[in-house]
Amino acid sequence: FKSFADVDAWPVCLDTTDSEEIIRIVKAMAPVYGGINLEDIAAPRCFEILARLQDELDIPVFHDDQHGTAIVALAALYNALRVVDKKMEDVRIVVSGVGAAGHAIIQLLLHVGAGQIIACDRKGALHTGRELTDPHRQWIAENTNSEGFAGSLHEAMAGADVFVGVSAPDVLDEAAVASMNEDAIVFAMANPDPEIDPVIAARHAAVVATGRSDFPNQINNVLAFPGLFRGLLDAHASEIRTEMLVAAARAIADAVRDEERNASFIVPSVFDPNVAAAVAESVRASADSAAVGA
């Protein structure tokens, strides 16, 4: 596997936002594909479409805006925690944005044993005492925020170790970042304008990442999906398991060597030719292990 061209990827754009029509078209095309990578389907529609296709097809179905973002964010967090010498199970994480990407990031963080997570939307923290009609928000409320914190995003930031933003521009101010714990980590990934100017965030946070290419530590989905699908195809996988997503994240994180890793270099370049091959091998091994244990 030497380039993206080694994975045959045929993009298909559908001129519809109707969930049933999307599902019907993808199912009709599926027999000539080894896997499906969904892109640019907003929440909550993306959750139903993904779940239905995963249940009704016998090939891997992946949503890049959910799982691609989650994989690379987890990889970046692995290395950021190494830089500041903190452990995943000990940190307090605030997530801004509970749509497609936020939901997937939270699921993956919980799977790898993240400590306390507080997820916030425009109205503040999600908790079980809040009336939530969206079942996906309700799931987050039931599986995070064990202390029942009910304040705003800015209030949640006080004493936090990690901020993960997949929401909207300028939802944070400098005071909120300054209120975080020492050696804080800020991932402001809203594009094109992040949740806080990374230059301002860096005045108080030890590690800052964005989704943009003009700042250090770009968290970009392209680091994940070419290698992920190569590994899935090599393993003849029929589904994507959470362990495979974690394997991809670890491979991306480990692509940054110990002697290279620093506050301005926690994820490899999107042009690093070794990343996709490393992710493919890690995912293939995870898929093979899952098949043996099935």
Side-chain angles (χ1 to χ4, degrees), residues 122-240:
R122 292 181 181 89
K123 296 181 180 180
L126 273 61
H127 56 91
T128 53
R130 192 177 137 185
E131 185 176 351
L132 298 164
T133 56
D134 178 350
H136 304 289
R137 278 175 164 78
Q138 186 65 39
W139 182 91
I140 292 173
E142 291 172 355
N143 289 276
T144 63
N145 194 2
S146 59
E147 297 180 358
F149 173 80
S152 67
L153 170 63
H154 281 71
E155 290 169 334
M157 292 291 287
D161 298 283
V162 179
F163 169 78
V164 177
V166 278
S167 51
D170 302 320
V171 298
L172 283 188
D173 58 22
E174 184 173 355
V177 178
S179 72
M180 297 177 72
N181 269 345
E182 187 177 354
D183 291 328
I185 297 166
V186 171
F187 292 174
M189 296 187 286
N191 256 333
D193 299 313
E195 284 81 0
I196 184 171
D197 185 323
V199 175
I200 294 174
R203 294 173 186 169
H204 306 282
V207 181
V208 177
T210 71
R212 293 175 48 154
S213 60
D214 54 343
F215 289 98
N217 300 327
Q218 183 190 18
I219 297 177
N220 190 317
N221 297 3
V222 77
L223 287 166
F225 69 81
L228 176 85
F229 271 92
R230 179 73 272 170
L232 292 169
L233 294 173
D234 287 346
H236 304 287
S238 60
E239 63 179 344
I240 300 174

Side-chain angles (χ1 to χ4, degrees), residues 20 40 44 50 83 104 108 118 124 151 177 200 220-221 260-261:
E20 289 299 328
D40 293 336
L50 178 66
V83 169
L108 206 54
I118 297 176
V177 178
I200 294 174
N220 190 317
N221 297 3
E260 298 175 312
R261 190 186 311 114

